[in-house]
Amino acid sequence: MQIRGLSYDDTIRTRSGLGAGLFRRLPPQPEKCQPQNSGILQRRFRLLLRFVHETHGVEPAALHIENLDAPIILAFLDHIERQRANCIRSRNARLAAVRSFFRFVQMREPAALAVASRVLAIPVKRTDRKLVGYLTRPEIDALLAATDRTNWDGRRDHALLLTLYNSGARVSEIIAVRRGDILLDAPASLKLHGKGRKERAVPLWTKTAQVLRSWFQELGDHCGGLAFPSARAHRLSRHGVSFLLGRLAERAVKACPSLGDKQISPHVIRHSTAMHLLQSGVDPAVIALWLGHESVETTHGYVEADLTMMENAMGKLTPAGSAPARFKAPDDLLAFLATL
């Protein structure tokens, strides 16, 4: 049986070891689980298994259900939050992976119901909802200008960053882009494979299409069709994209000091795309489709973060204690009415 890309042994028993077959990686099966989702879930379980081994001396191959009771899960969540400096959202994401496993245990092994119920009762941790962080257009331009286009890495980074900003893609989507997903003939577009196996197409600027055309000519037929490969012709990792953005930010901070006060990540670039579309007057519903949001309500967070839009709205409101402004028609309107 497979749940979210993990193969669970049919012979799980409370008193038997949870062997390697419990968390065996299956070949990617698009109809069941996306490869990136399976990989994320496995990384979260590896952290848990490593923690149990380091704190209790239990080898992963000899693990029992009792070794994953609620106190141990709570200690693990506290560990990743305090020792690994994970934010509360990351902590909750790891808890969700643990819950996914114990929901399966709850259905398959009646003897483990007590342990599973205690783990499933662990609540998510609430967190403050912060304003969306984003970069201004001059800051984006400074990052693009910081790429060293005299070498191969720099030209790839420039094409990658420009496409990332143009499309507002998630980092998992951009590293999976293949050359066949990009249409450079007018109208140029990029096909992205997003969450929930949903595909969407976003338009590309003429400048982006020109940069990509030059980059693909240089890339040739190597790298297995990847649009933005690593130096070893493999797919870039999420951490690799974050690293190259951090390196660009260090270079760009001299020309744009405001970058020194901001955290730069692929998701911040995605937020910047959404914010700049909103500031340009694009409807939030269109932005939700552009970014692949499940609901338009997700896009409303950008409205809350745009102080300029709120200032414009406040300018239409009469201050307290002042007489309401009366409508005054322009001269051309008065002239028109006089002719009726």
CSV table of all heavy atoms in Angstrom, one decimal, residues 232-289:
chain,number,residue,atom,x,y,z
A,232,ARG,N,27.2,20.1,-13.2
A,232,ARG,CA,27.4,18.7,-13.5
A,232,ARG,C,26.3,18.1,-14.3
A,232,ARG,O,26.1,16.8,-14.4
A,232,ARG,CB,27.6,17.9,-12.2
A,232,ARG,CG,28.8,18.4,-11.4
A,232,ARG,CD,28.9,17.5,-10.1
A,232,ARG,NE,30.1,17.9,-9.3
A,232,ARG,CZ,30.5,17.4,-8.2
A,232,ARG,NH1,29.8,16.3,-7.7
A,232,ARG,NH2,31.5,17.8,-7.6
A,233,ALA,N,25.5,18.9,-15.0
A,233,ALA,CA,24.4,18.5,-15.9
A,233,ALA,C,23.3,17.8,-15.2
A,233,ALA,O,22.6,17.0,-15.8
A,233,ALA,CB,25.0,17.6,-17.0
A,234,HIS,N,23.1,18.0,-13.9
A,234,HIS,CA,22.0,17.4,-13.1
A,234,HIS,C,21.0,18.5,-12.8
A,234,HIS,O,21.3,19.7,-13.0
A,234,HIS,CB,22.5,16.8,-11.8
A,234,HIS,CG,23.5,15.6,-12.0
A,234,HIS,ND1,23.2,14.6,-12.9
A,234,HIS,CD2,24.7,15.4,-11.5
A,234,HIS,CE1,24.2,13.8,-12.9
A,234,HIS,NE2,25.2,14.2,-12.1
A,235,ARG,N,19.9,18.1,-12.2
A,235,ARG,CA,18.9,19.1,-11.8
A,235,ARG,C,19.4,19.9,-10.6
A,235,ARG,O,20.0,19.3,-9.7
A,235,ARG,CB,17.6,18.4,-11.5
A,235,ARG,CG,16.5,19.3,-11.0
A,235,ARG,CD,15.3,18.6,-10.5
A,235,ARG,NE,14.6,18.0,-11.6
A,235,ARG,CZ,13.3,17.4,-11.5
A,235,ARG,NH1,12.7,17.4,-10.3
A,235,ARG,NH2,12.7,16.9,-12.5
A,236,LEU,N,19.2,21.2,-10.6
A,236,LEU,CA,19.5,22.0,-9.5
A,236,LEU,C,18.7,21.6,-8.3
A,236,LEU,O,17.5,21.2,-8.5
A,236,LEU,CB,19.3,23.5,-9.8
A,236,LEU,CG,20.4,24.2,-10.6
A,236,LEU,CD1,19.8,25.6,-11.0
A,236,LEU,CD2,21.7,24.4,-9.8
A,237,SER,N,19.2,21.7,-7.1
A,237,SER,CA,18.4,21.5,-5.9
A,237,SER,C,17.8,22.8,-5.4
A,237,SER,O,18.2,23.9,-5.8
A,237,SER,CB,19.3,20.9,-4.8
A,237,SER,OG,20.3,21.9,-4.4
A,238,ARG,N,16.9,22.6,-4.5
A,238,ARG,CA,16.2,23.8,-3.9
A,238,ARG,C,17.3,24.6,-3.2
A,238,ARG,O,17.2,25.9,-3.3
A,238,ARG,CB,15.1,23.3,-2.9
A,238,ARG,CG,14.1,22.5,-3.6
A,238,ARG,CD,13.3,21.7,-2.6
A,238,ARG,NE,12.5,22.5,-1.7
A,238,ARG,CZ,11.2,22.8,-1.8
A,238,ARG,NH1,10.6,22.3,-2.9
A,238,ARG,NH2,10.6,23.6,-1.0
A,239,HIS,N,18.1,23.9,-2.5
A,239,HIS,CA,19.2,24.7,-1.7
A,239,HIS,C,20.2,25.3,-2.7
A,239,HIS,O,20.7,26.4,-2.4
A,239,HIS,CB,19.9,23.7,-0.8
A,239,HIS,CG,19.1,23.1,0.3
A,239,HIS,ND1,18.5,23.9,1.3
A,239,HIS,CD2,18.7,21.8,0.5
A,239,HIS,CE1,17.8,23.1,2.1
A,239,HIS,NE2,17.9,21.8,1.6
A,240,GLY,N,20.4,24.7,-3.8
A,240,GLY,CA,21.3,25.3,-4.8
A,240,GLY,C,20.7,26.6,-5.3
A,240,GLY,O,21.5,27.6,-5.5
A,241,VAL,N,19.4,26.7,-5.6
A,241,VAL,CA,18.8,28.0,-6.1
A,241,VAL,C,18.9,29.0,-5.0
A,241,VAL,O,19.2,30.2,-5.2
A,241,VAL,CB,17.4,27.7,-6.5
A,241,VAL,CG1,16.7,29.0,-6.9
A,241,VAL,CG2,17.3,26.7,-7.7
A,242,SER,N,18.6,28.6,-3.7
A,242,SER,CA,18.7,29.6,-2.6
A,242,SER,C,20.1,30.1,-2.4
A,242,SER,O,20.4,31.3,-2.2
A,242,SER,CB,18.3,28.9,-1.3
A,242,SER,OG,16.9,28.5,-1.4
A,243,PHE,N,21.1,29.2,-2.6
A,243,PHE,CA,22.5,29.6,-2.5
A,243,PHE,C,22.9,30.6,-3.6
A,243,PHE,O,23.5,31.6,-3.2
A,243,PHE,CB,23.4,28.4,-2.6
A,243,PHE,CG,24.9,28.7,-2.6
A,243,PHE,CD1,25.6,29.0,-1.5
A,243,PHE,CD2,25.6,28.7,-3.8
A,243,PHE,CE1,26.9,29.3,-1.5
A,243,PHE,CE2,26.9,29.0,-3.9
A,243,PHE,CZ,27.6,29.3,-2.7
A,244,LEU,N,22.5,30.4,-4.8
A,244,LEU,CA,22.9,31.3,-5.9
A,244,LEU,C,22.2,32.7,-5.7
A,244,LEU,O,22.8,33.7,-6.0
A,244,LEU,CB,22.7,30.7,-7.2
A,244,LEU,CG,21.3,30.5,-7.8
A,244,LEU,CD1,20.7,31.7,-8.5
A,244,LEU,CD2,21.3,29.3,-8.7
A,245,LEU,N,21.0,32.7,-5.2
A,245,LEU,CA,20.3,33.9,-4.9
A,245,LEU,C,21.0,34.7,-3.8
A,245,LEU,O,21.2,35.9,-3.9
A,245,LEU,CB,18.9,33.7,-4.5
A,245,LEU,CG,17.9,33.3,-5.7
A,245,LEU,CD1,16.5,33.1,-5.1
A,245,LEU,CD2,17.9,34.5,-6.7
A,246,GLY,N,21.5,34.0,-2.7
A,246,GLY,CA,22.2,34.6,-1.7
A,246,GLY,C,23.5,35.2,-2.2
A,246,GLY,O,23.9,36.3,-1.7
A,247,ARG,N,24.2,34.5,-3.1
A,247,ARG,CA,25.4,35.0,-3.6
A,247,ARG,C,25.2,36.2,-4.5
A,247,ARG,O,26.0,37.2,-4.4
A,247,ARG,CB,26.1,33.9,-4.5
A,247,ARG,CG,27.4,34.2,-5.1
A,247,ARG,CD,28.0,33.0,-5.8
A,247,ARG,NE,27.1,32.5,-6.8
A,247,ARG,CZ,27.3,31.4,-7.5
A,247,ARG,NH1,28.4,30.7,-7.2
A,247,ARG,NH2,26.5,31.1,-8.5
A,248,LEU,N,24.1,36.3,-5.2
A,248,LEU,CA,23.8,37.5,-6.0
A,248,LEU,C,23.4,38.6,-5.1
A,248,LEU,O,23.8,39.8,-5.4
A,248,LEU,CB,22.6,37.2,-6.9
A,248,LEU,CG,22.9,36.2,-8.1
A,248,LEU,CD1,21.6,35.9,-8.9
A,248,LEU,CD2,23.9,36.7,-9.0
A,249,ALA,N,22.7,38.4,-4.0
A,249,ALA,CA,22.4,39.4,-3.1
A,249,ALA,C,23.6,40.1,-2.5
A,249,ALA,O,23.7,41.3,-2.3
A,249,ALA,CB,21.5,38.9,-2.0
A,250,GLU,N,24.6,39.3,-2.2
A,250,GLU,CA,25.9,39.8,-1.6
A,250,GLU,C,26.6,40.7,-2.6
A,250,GLU,O,27.1,41.7,-2.2
A,250,GLU,CB,26.8,38.6,-1.2
A,250,GLU,CG,26.3,37.8,0.0
A,250,GLU,CD,27.2,36.6,0.3
A,250,GLU,OE1,28.2,36.5,-0.5
A,250,GLU,OE2,26.9,35.9,1.2
A,251,ARG,N,26.5,40.4,-3.8
A,251,ARG,CA,27.1,41.3,-4.9
A,251,ARG,C,26.3,42.5,-5.1
A,251,ARG,O,26.8,43.6,-5.3
A,251,ARG,CB,27.2,40.5,-6.2
A,251,ARG,CG,28.1,39.3,-6.1
A,251,ARG,CD,28.1,38.6,-7.5
A,251,ARG,NE,28.8,37.3,-7.5
A,251,ARG,CZ,28.7,36.4,-8.5
A,251,ARG,NH1,27.9,36.7,-9.5
A,251,ARG,NH2,29.3,35.2,-8.4
A,252,ALA,N,25.0,42.4,-5.1
A,252,ALA,CA,24.1,43.5,-5.4
A,252,ALA,C,23.9,44.5,-4.3
A,252,ALA,O,23.5,45.6,-4.6
A,252,ALA,CB,22.7,42.9,-5.8
A,253,VAL,N,24.3,44.1,-3.1
A,253,VAL,CA,24.0,45.0,-2.0
A,253,VAL,C,24.8,46.3,-2.1
A,253,VAL,O,24.5,47.4,-1.5
A,253,VAL,CB,24.3,44.3,-0.6
A,253,VAL,CG1,25.8,44.1,-0.4
A,253,VAL,CG2,23.7,45.0,0.5
A,254,LYS,N,25.9,46.3,-2.8
A,254,LYS,CA,26.8,47.5,-3.0
A,254,LYS,C,26.0,48.5,-3.8
A,254,LYS,O,26.1,49.7,-3.5
A,254,LYS,CB,28.1,47.1,-3.6
A,254,LYS,CG,28.9,46.2,-2.8
A,254,LYS,CD,30.2,45.8,-3.5
A,254,LYS,CE,31.1,44.9,-2.7
A,254,LYS,NZ,32.3,44.5,-3.4
A,255,ALA,N,25.3,48.1,-4.8
A,255,ALA,CA,24.6,49.0,-5.7
A,255,ALA,C,23.2,49.3,-5.2
A,255,ALA,O,22.6,50.3,-5.5
A,255,ALA,CB,24.5,48.4,-7.1
A,256,CYS,N,22.7,48.4,-4.3
A,256,CYS,CA,21.3,48.5,-3.8
A,256,CYS,C,21.4,48.2,-2.3
A,256,CYS,O,21.1,47.0,-1.9
A,256,CYS,CB,20.3,47.7,-4.5
A,256,CYS,SG,18.6,47.9,-4.1
A,257,PRO,N,21.8,49.1,-1.4
A,257,PRO,CA,21.9,48.8,0.0
A,257,PRO,C,20.7,48.2,0.7
A,257,PRO,O,20.8,47.5,1.7
A,257,PRO,CB,22.3,50.2,0.6
A,257,PRO,CG,22.9,50.9,-0.5
A,257,PRO,CD,22.1,50.5,-1.7
A,258,SER,N,19.5,48.5,0.2
A,258,SER,CA,18.3,48.1,0.9
A,258,SER,C,18.2,46.5,0.9
A,258,SER,O,17.5,45.9,1.7
A,258,SER,CB,17.0,48.7,0.2
A,258,SER,OG,17.0,48.3,-1.2
A,259,LEU,N,18.9,45.9,0.0
A,259,LEU,CA,18.9,44.4,-0.1
A,259,LEU,C,19.5,43.8,1.2
A,259,LEU,O,19.3,42.7,1.5
A,259,LEU,CB,19.6,43.9,-1.3
A,259,LEU,CG,18.9,44.0,-2.7
A,259,LEU,CD1,19.8,43.7,-3.8
A,259,LEU,CD2,17.7,43.1,-2.7
A,260,GLY,N,20.4,44.6,1.8
A,260,GLY,CA,21.1,44.1,3.0
A,260,GLY,C,20.1,43.8,4.2
A,260,GLY,O,20.4,43.1,5.1
A,261,ASP,N,18.9,44.5,4.2
A,261,ASP,CA,18.0,44.3,5.2
A,261,ASP,C,16.9,43.3,5.0
A,261,ASP,O,16.0,43.2,5.7
A,261,ASP,CB,17.3,45.7,5.5
A,261,ASP,CG,18.3,46.8,5.9
A,261,ASP,OD1,19.3,46.4,6.6
A,261,ASP,OD2,18.1,47.9,5.5
A,262,LYS,N,17.0,42.6,3.8
A,262,LYS,CA,16.0,41.7,3.4
A,262,LYS,C,16.5,40.3,3.3
A,262,LYS,O,17.7,40.1,2.9
A,262,LYS,CB,15.3,42.1,2.1
A,262,LYS,CG,14.6,43.5,2.2
A,262,LYS,CD,13.8,43.8,1.0
A,262,LYS,CE,13.1,45.1,1.1
A,262,LYS,NZ,12.3,45.5,-0.1
A,263,GLN,N,15.6,39.3,3.5
A,263,GLN,CA,16.0,37.9,3.3
A,263,GLN,C,15.6,37.6,1.9
A,263,GLN,O,14.4,37.8,1.5
A,263,GLN,CB,15.2,37.0,4.3
A,263,GLN,CG,15.7,37.2,5.7
A,263,GLN,CD,15.0,36.2,6.7
A,263,GLN,OE1,14.0,35.6,6.3
A,263,GLN,NE2,15.5,36.0,7.8
A,264,ILE,N,16.6,37.1,1.1
A,264,ILE,CA,16.4,36.7,-0.3
A,264,ILE,C,16.2,35.2,-0.4
A,264,ILE,O,17.1,34.5,0.0
A,264,ILE,CB,17.5,37.2,-1.1
A,264,ILE,CG1,17.9,38.7,-0.8
A,264,ILE,CG2,17.2,37.1,-2.6
A,264,ILE,CD1,16.8,39.7,-1.0
A,265,SER,N,15.1,34.8,-1.0
A,265,SER,CA,14.9,33.4,-1.3
A,265,SER,C,14.0,33.3,-2.5
A,265,SER,O,13.4,34.3,-3.0
A,265,SER,CB,14.1,32.8,-0.1
A,265,SER,OG,12.8,33.3,0.0
A,266,PRO,N,14.0,32.1,-3.1
A,266,PRO,CA,13.1,31.9,-4.3
A,266,PRO,C,11.7,32.3,-4.0
A,266,PRO,O,11.0,32.8,-4.9
A,266,PRO,CB,13.2,30.4,-4.6
A,266,PRO,CG,14.6,30.0,-4.0
A,266,PRO,CD,14.7,30.8,-2.8
A,267,HIS,N,11.2,32.1,-2.8
A,267,HIS,CA,9.8,32.4,-2.6
A,267,HIS,C,9.6,33.9,-2.4
A,267,HIS,O,8.5,34.4,-2.7
A,267,HIS,CB,9.3,31.7,-1.3
A,267,HIS,CG,7.8,31.3,-1.4
A,267,HIS,ND1,7.4,30.3,-2.2
A,267,HIS,CD2,6.7,31.7,-0.7
A,267,HIS,CE1,6.1,30.2,-2.1
A,267,HIS,NE2,5.7,31.0,-1.2
A,268,VAL,N,10.6,34.6,-2.0
A,268,VAL,CA,10.5,36.1,-2.0
A,268,VAL,C,10.4,36.6,-3.4
A,268,VAL,O,9.7,37.6,-3.7
A,268,VAL,CB,11.7,36.7,-1.2
A,268,VAL,CG1,11.8,38.2,-1.4
A,268,VAL,CG2,11.6,36.3,0.3
A,269,ILE,N,11.1,36.0,-4.3
A,269,ILE,CA,11.0,36.4,-5.7
A,269,ILE,C,9.6,36.2,-6.2
A,269,ILE,O,9.0,37.0,-7.0
A,269,ILE,CB,12.0,35.6,-6.6
A,269,ILE,CG1,13.4,35.8,-6.1
A,269,ILE,CG2,11.9,36.1,-8.1
A,269,ILE,CD1,13.9,37.2,-6.1
A,270,ARG,N,9.0,35.1,-5.8
A,270,ARG,CA,7.6,34.7,-6.2
A,270,ARG,C,6.6,35.8,-5.6
A,270,ARG,O,5.7,36.3,-6.3
A,270,ARG,CB,7.2,33.4,-5.7
A,270,ARG,CG,5.8,32.9,-5.9
A,270,ARG,CD,5.7,31.5,-5.4
A,270,ARG,NE,4.3,31.1,-5.2
A,270,ARG,CZ,3.5,30.6,-6.2
A,270,ARG,NH1,3.9,30.5,-7.4
A,270,ARG,NH2,2.3,30.2,-5.9
A,271,HIS,N,6.8,36.2,-4.4
A,271,HIS,CA,6.0,37.2,-3.8
A,271,HIS,C,6.2,38.6,-4.5
A,271,HIS,O,5.2,39.3,-4.7
A,271,HIS,CB,6.4,37.4,-2.3
A,271,HIS,CG,6.0,36.3,-1.4
A,271,HIS,ND1,4.8,35.6,-1.6
A,271,HIS,CD2,6.6,35.8,-0.3
A,271,HIS,CE1,4.7,34.7,-0.6
A,271,HIS,NE2,5.7,34.8,0.2
A,272,SER,N,7.4,38.8,-5.0
A,272,SER,CA,7.7,40.1,-5.7
A,272,SER,C,7.0,40.1,-7.0
A,272,SER,O,6.4,41.2,-7.4
A,272,SER,CB,9.2,40.2,-5.9
A,272,SER,OG,9.9,40.1,-4.7
A,273,THR,N,6.9,39.0,-7.7
A,273,THR,CA,6.1,38.9,-8.9
A,273,THR,C,4.7,39.3,-8.7
A,273,THR,O,4.1,40.1,-9.4
A,273,THR,CB,6.3,37.5,-9.6
A,273,THR,OG1,7.6,37.2,-9.8
A,273,THR,CG2,5.5,37.5,-10.9
A,274,ALA,N,4.1,38.6,-7.7
A,274,ALA,CA,2.7,38.9,-7.4
A,274,ALA,C,2.4,40.3,-7.0
A,274,ALA,O,1.5,40.9,-7.4
A,274,ALA,CB,2.2,37.9,-6.2
A,275,MET,N,3.3,40.9,-6.2
A,275,MET,CA,3.1,42.3,-5.7
A,275,MET,C,3.2,43.2,-6.9
A,275,MET,O,2.4,44.2,-7.0
A,275,MET,CB,4.2,42.6,-4.7
A,275,MET,CG,4.0,44.0,-4.0
A,275,MET,SD,2.4,44.1,-3.2
A,275,MET,CE,2.7,43.1,-1.7
A,276,HIS,N,4.2,43.0,-7.8
A,276,HIS,CA,4.4,44.0,-8.9
A,276,HIS,C,3.2,43.8,-9.9
A,276,HIS,O,2.8,44.8,-10.5
A,276,HIS,CB,5.7,43.7,-9.6
A,276,HIS,CG,6.9,43.9,-8.7
A,276,HIS,ND1,8.2,43.5,-9.0
A,276,HIS,CD2,7.0,44.5,-7.5
A,276,HIS,CE1,9.0,43.8,-8.0
A,276,HIS,NE2,8.3,44.5,-7.1
A,277,LEU,N,2.7,42.6,-10.1
A,277,LEU,CA,1.5,42.5,-10.9
A,277,LEU,C,0.3,43.2,-10.3
A,277,LEU,O,-0.5,43.9,-11.0
A,277,LEU,CB,1.1,41.0,-11.0
A,277,LEU,CG,2.0,40.1,-11.9
A,277,LEU,CD1,1.6,38.7,-11.8
A,277,LEU,CD2,1.9,40.6,-13.4
A,278,LEU,N,0.2,43.1,-9.0
A,278,LEU,CA,-0.9,43.8,-8.3
A,278,LEU,C,-0.8,45.3,-8.4
A,278,LEU,O,-1.8,46.1,-8.6
A,278,LEU,CB,-1.0,43.4,-6.8
A,278,LEU,CG,-2.1,43.9,-5.9
A,278,LEU,CD1,-3.5,43.4,-6.4
A,278,LEU,CD2,-1.9,43.6,-4.5
A,279,GLN,N,0.4,45.8,-8.2
A,279,GLN,CA,0.7,47.3,-8.3
A,279,GLN,C,0.5,47.8,-9.7
A,279,GLN,O,0.2,49.0,-9.9
A,279,GLN,CB,2.1,47.6,-7.8
A,279,GLN,CG,2.3,47.3,-6.3
A,279,GLN,CD,3.7,47.4,-5.9
A,279,GLN,OE1,4.7,47.4,-6.7
A,279,GLN,NE2,4.0,47.5,-4.6
A,280,SER,N,0.6,46.9,-10.7
A,280,SER,CA,0.4,47.3,-12.1
A,280,SER,C,-1.1,47.3,-12.5
A,280,SER,O,-1.5,47.6,-13.6
A,280,SER,CB,1.1,46.4,-13.0
A,280,SER,OG,2.5,46.5,-12.8
A,281,GLY,N,-2.0,46.9,-11.5
A,281,GLY,CA,-3.4,47.0,-11.8
A,281,GLY,C,-4.0,45.6,-12.2
A,281,GLY,O,-5.2,45.6,-12.7
A,282,VAL,N,-3.2,44.5,-12.2
A,282,VAL,CA,-3.8,43.2,-12.6
A,282,VAL,C,-4.8,42.7,-11.5
A,282,VAL,O,-4.5,42.9,-10.3
A,282,VAL,CB,-2.6,42.2,-12.7
A,282,VAL,CG1,-3.1,40.9,-13.1
A,282,VAL,CG2,-1.6,42.7,-13.8
A,283,ASP,N,-5.9,42.2,-12.0
A,283,ASP,CA,-6.9,41.7,-11.1
A,283,ASP,C,-6.3,40.5,-10.2
A,283,ASP,O,-5.6,39.7,-10.7
A,283,ASP,CB,-8.1,41.2,-11.9
A,283,ASP,CG,-9.3,40.8,-11.0
A,283,ASP,OD1,-10.1,41.7,-10.8
A,283,ASP,OD2,-9.4,39.7,-10.6
A,284,PRO,N,-6.7,40.5,-8.9
A,284,PRO,CA,-6.2,39.4,-8.0
A,284,PRO,C,-6.6,38.0,-8.5
A,284,PRO,O,-5.8,37.1,-8.3
A,284,PRO,CB,-6.9,39.7,-6.7
A,284,PRO,CG,-7.1,41.2,-6.7
A,284,PRO,CD,-7.4,41.6,-8.1
A,285,ALA,N,-7.7,37.9,-9.2
A,285,ALA,CA,-8.1,36.6,-9.7
A,285,ALA,C,-7.1,36.1,-10.8
A,285,ALA,O,-6.8,34.9,-10.9
A,285,ALA,CB,-9.5,36.6,-10.3
A,286,VAL,N,-6.7,37.0,-11.6
A,286,VAL,CA,-5.7,36.7,-12.7
A,286,VAL,C,-4.3,36.4,-12.0
A,286,VAL,O,-3.6,35.4,-12.4
A,286,VAL,CB,-5.5,37.9,-13.6
A,286,VAL,CG1,-4.4,37.6,-14.7
A,286,VAL,CG2,-6.8,38.2,-14.3
A,287,ILE,N,-4.0,37.1,-11.0
A,287,ILE,CA,-2.7,36.8,-10.2
A,287,ILE,C,-2.8,35.4,-9.6
A,287,ILE,O,-1.8,34.7,-9.6
A,287,ILE,CB,-2.5,37.9,-9.2
A,287,ILE,CG1,-2.3,39.2,-9.8
A,287,ILE,CG2,-1.2,37.5,-8.4
A,287,ILE,CD1,-2.1,40.4,-8.8
A,288,ALA,N,-3.9,35.0,-9.1
A,288,ALA,CA,-4.1,33.7,-8.5
A,288,ALA,C,-3.9,32.6,-9.6
A,288,ALA,O,-3.2,31.6,-9.3
A,288,ALA,CB,-5.5,33.6,-7.9
A,289,LEU,N,-4.4,32.8,-10.8
A,289,LEU,CA,-4.2,31.9,-11.8
A,289,LEU,C,-2.7,31.9,-12.3
A,289,LEU,O,-2.1,30.8,-12.6
A,289,LEU,CB,-5.1,32.2,-13.0
A,289,LEU,CG,-6.6,32.1,-12.8
A,289,LEU,CD1,-7.3,32.6,-14.0
A,289,LEU,CD2,-6.9,30.6,-12.6
